[in-house]
Amino acid sequence: MISKKKLKNLSFLIYGLGLTGKSVVNFFIKNKIHNFKVWDDHNKDLFKNNRTSNLLKTLHSVDYIILSPGISLAKSKNKNNLIKFKNKIITDLDLFFLVKKFSKSIVITGTNGKSTTSKILSHVLKKNNFQPVLGGNIGAPVLSLKIKKKNTIIIEASSFQLSYSKFIYPDYAILLNITNDHLDWHVNMKDYINSKFKIFENQNKRQFSLVNRNFKNLFKKKKLSGKLKVPNLKKYITLKPEFKNNYLKLNMNDENMSFVYELTKLLKIRKKSFLNSLNTFVGLPHRYEIFMKRNNCIFINDSKATSFQSTKFALKNSKNIFWILGGMPKKNDKIILHGLKKNILRSYIIGKNTNFFKKQIKGQIKFYETRTIRKSILKILKDIRTLKKQNNTILLSPSSASYDQYLNFEKRGDEFKKLSKFYARKYF
């Protein structure tokens, strides 16, 4: 472990001054680590006293480059220079594990469901007196967290954060799933998978590695040191009749919840306590969020579904769906509706990439090119009157990123909820 005292003798370049980069700057200032420079491709004004004027010279001279998670070596305008010094690149997660002291650490990654899983786990541990602190890709950057030795740290880690990490070694590392996503950022699927496996690489024989059954053989092939655990999905499902929480009864949660159950067994939490804790959990916004029921219609905000793989969960768990989709599609994503078409009445395509979605769903389901959420809702409410079906579902599950029309998926989901409530009052 590198102590804070030793950090003061090292030099750093903080590359990227978003939330994570700023948290690193504040961490250095708080701990009186003065030998650092900053660089941001877009913001020339922040931290002027520490800004480097010669990027190449600084990259060459510093001991470590702390890269913000949004920066891809494949796409950065300084990629050639960054690649040249790739061996120096670390992340805020590395700094966290090098200097922080805590009771236990849990790192959760995966393509789908990691935020909800992290939040559920934090909720269960809090109910069982573990004093969890949650951060990373959800909430505050890890270096901004206020931590005491008795805390159990839960970190949601994205592939962006993990890709260049070198020193993380969680007591419990959890890989939920991997599907086709973020290939516009990663070079290829192999690179994406390898980034997820970073959570296991530095673990020792006393630490636990919880792995999706599809990647059990790859874990063994890599000869990693952690104690391998593959959650038993069937055993978890046997518990579901005891749930009072309707959100967790949905099949879409089963696989990820089996990881939570497996981990709680390792932490010696009794089954009864586990079940009692779950029954008080409230789902996260924008993840299959049932926010309104009105006149035989259920309104569901699933704006966090930024790939078709994540949308499939919503389509499986709903009936008589009026489906709003569209936005910025993920690289190599495909919409295959086998077994799901029967649940969908009509679809409404929003965003600036309508041709992609029209080609994907043409011949599978009936669709309209509405382009905006507002026009989609108005068209849906008219169609509901025309079709005269019972128990309708109005679903925003876009299967794509939001950046063509919105700052983020939260803004997209918030607008859908706001407009739905406004027009529902007029129509019903």
Side-chain angles (χ1 to χ4, degrees):
M1 178 182 290
I2 298 176
S3 65
K4 289 181 183 178
K5 184 176 180 180
K6 187 172 181 181
L7 283 179
K8 293 179 181 179
N9 297 322
L10 299 172
S11 57
F12 302 89
L13 172 67
I14 302 169
Y15 196 111
L17 290 172
L19 281 177
T20 299
K22 290 175 186 176
S23 74
V24 177
V25 171
N26 292 332
F27 171 80
F28 281 165
I29 292 172
K30 182 179 178 180
N31 290 281
K32 298 181 181 179
I33 299 167
H34 303 299
N35 196 2
F36 70 92
K37 297 289 185 182
V38 299
W39 178 271
D40 189 277
D41 291 337
H42 307 292
N43 196 320
K44 308 297 182 184
D45 299 320
L46 289 173
F47 307 107
K48 286 183 179 179
N49 292 340
N50 293 91
R51 185 168 179 82
T52 180
S53 58
N54 189 322
L55 178 61
L56 183 58
K57 182 179 178 181
T58 303
L59 289 170
H60 187 274
S61 64
V62 296
D63 294 304
Y64 289 109
I65 303 159
I66 304 171
L67 197 67
S68 289
I71 298 169
S72 166
L73 292 195
K75 300 179 76 173
S76 170
K77 68 179 184 180
N78 291 306
K79 64 181 181 180
N80 292 334
N81 288 329
L82 287 170
I83 290 170
K84 188 184 297 183
F85 298 102
K86 187 177 178 179
N87 63 315
K88 294 184 178 184
I89 294 176
I90 61 172
T91 68
D92 64 318
L93 296 183
D94 292 317
L95 282 176
F96 182 83
F97 275 93
L98 286 171
V99 302
K100 289 285 184 180
K101 294 180 180 179
F102 36 74
S103 174
K104 291 182 177 67
S105 57
I106 302 165
V107 175
I108 300 174
T109 194
T111 305
N112 297 310
K114 55 185 178 290
S115 292
T116 299
T117 305
S118 299
K119 197 73 175 179
I120 290 172
L121 179 60
S122 178
H123 178 81
V124 171
L125 295 189
K126 187 176 182 180
K127 291 290 183 180
N128 287 276
N129 302 313
F130 274 80
Q131 300 187 41
V133 175
L134 174 62
N137 196 50
I138 183 173
V142 291
L143 293 176
S144 298
L145 300 175
K146 294 180 180 179
I147 294 170
K148 299 177 181 178
K149 287 184 180 180
K150 58 187 176 182
N151 290 135
T152 296
I153 309 306
I154 304 171
I155 299 172
E156 180 198 324
S158 71
S159 59
F160 304 160
Q161 292 171 298
L162 294 172
S163 189
Y164 308 118
S165 293
K166 292 180 172 65
F167 302 119
I168 64 172
Y169 53 98
D171 297 303
Y172 303 89
I174 299 176
L175 174 58
L176 299 172
N177 51 63
I178 300 178
T179 60
N180 186 28
D181 202 359
H182 298 311
L183 298 188
D184 53 340
W185 196 95
H186 294 277
V187 177
N188 49 46
M189 193 64 179
K190 182 180 179 181
D191 180 70
Y192 181 48
I193 292 170
N194 285 337
S195 72
K196 296 292 191 186
F197 265 77
K198 286 287 189 74
I199 60 173
F200 306 120
E201 288 183 358
N202 297 318
Q203 285 187 296
N204 60 45
K205 293 179 180 180
R206 298 184 302 277
Q207 295 170 324
F208 291 90
S209 308
L210 283 68
V211 179
N212 183 291
R213 61 189 182 278
N214 296 325
F215 295 95
K216 175 182 175 181
N217 291 337
L218 181 57
F219 183 93
K220 290 181 176 180
K221 185 178 179 181
K222 287 178 174 286
K223 297 181 179 179
L224 298 161
S225 298
K227 293 180 181 179
L228 175 62
K229 296 287 182 180
V230 179
N232 189 319
L233 179 60
K234 291 181 179 178
K235 280 190 176 181
Y236 167 74
I237 291 174
T238 63
L239 301 177
K240 291 184 70 176
E242 301 181 56
F243 287 169
K244 297 176 184 177
N245 188 322
N246 289 327
Y247 175 77
L248 293 174
K249 285 181 179 179
L250 297 170
N251 295 334
M252 61 187 286
N253 295 303
D254 287 351
E255 186 169 64
N256 290 347
M257 282 303 304
S258 70
F259 281 83
V260 177
Y261 182 49
E262 184 69 30
L263 180 57
T264 57
K265 288 192 293 182
L266 294 174
L267 295 173
K268 310 298 184 186
I269 294 173
R270 292 180 300 169
K271 184 175 76 171
K272 184 178 180 180
S273 297
F274 170 69
L275 292 170
N276 288 339
S277 301
L278 288 183
N279 283 326
T280 59
F281 177 75
V282 179
L284 293 181
H286 312 293
R287 284 99 169 159
Y288 201 80
E289 177 190 5
I290 300 173
F291 65 92
M292 183 168 62
K293 295 180 180 179
R294 201 171 184 122
N295 198 33
N296 287 320
C297 289
I298 296 174
F299 291 76
I300 301 176
N301 167 30
D302 195 37
S303 183
K304 182 63 172 66
T306 56
S307 68
F308 179 66
Q309 186 66 31
S310 50
T311 286
K312 282 171 67 176
F313 295 112
L315 297 179
K316 284 180 180 178
N317 284 278
S318 305
K319 303 291 183 184
N320 293 339
I321 301 170
F322 294 85
W323 177 26
I324 303 172
L325 73 159
M328 287 183 64
K330 296 294 180 72
K331 184 179 177 181
N332 297 338
D333 205 8
K334 293 181 180 180
I335 298 176
I336 301 172
L337 296 171
H338 299 324
L340 300 171
K341 289 187 285 186
K342 65 182 185 297
N343 294 343
I344 305 166
L345 294 177
R346 293 181 180 178
S347 60
Y348 308 81
I349 304 173
I350 64 172
K352 298 179 180 179
N353 299 278
T354 55
N355 286 337
F356 170 85
F357 294 95
K358 286 192 290 185
K359 289 177 182 177
Q360 291 283 317
I361 65 176
K362 187 176 181 180
Q364 297 192 77
I365 53 174
K366 188 170 185 176
F367 65 86
Y368 300 96
E369 188 177 343
T370 48
R371 294 193 176 270
T372 68
I373 288 176
R374 177 181 172 274
K375 289 180 180 178
S376 299
I377 294 170
L378 288 170
K379 175 64 174 160
I380 288 169
L381 293 174
K382 289 179 182 178
D383 288 347
I384 287 173
R385 284 182 173 180
T386 302
L387 293 177
K388 297 179 180 179
K389 295 278 188 179
Q390 294 295 311
N391 302 317
N392 299 299
T393 301
I394 301 173
L395 171 69
L396 171 69
S397 189
S399 299
S400 58
S402 60
Y403 306 124
D404 61 329
Q405 291 184 306
Y406 300 93
L407 180 64
N408 50 48
F409 72 84
E410 292 96 340
K411 296 291 186 184
R412 178 171 62 186
D414 288 341
E415 177 162 318
F416 173 62
K417 291 195 289 184
K418 179 181 177 181
L419 292 173
S420 293
K421 291 173 182 177
F422 177 78
Y423 287 112
R425 285 196 298 268
K426 287 192 167 188
Y427 273 75
F428 298 136

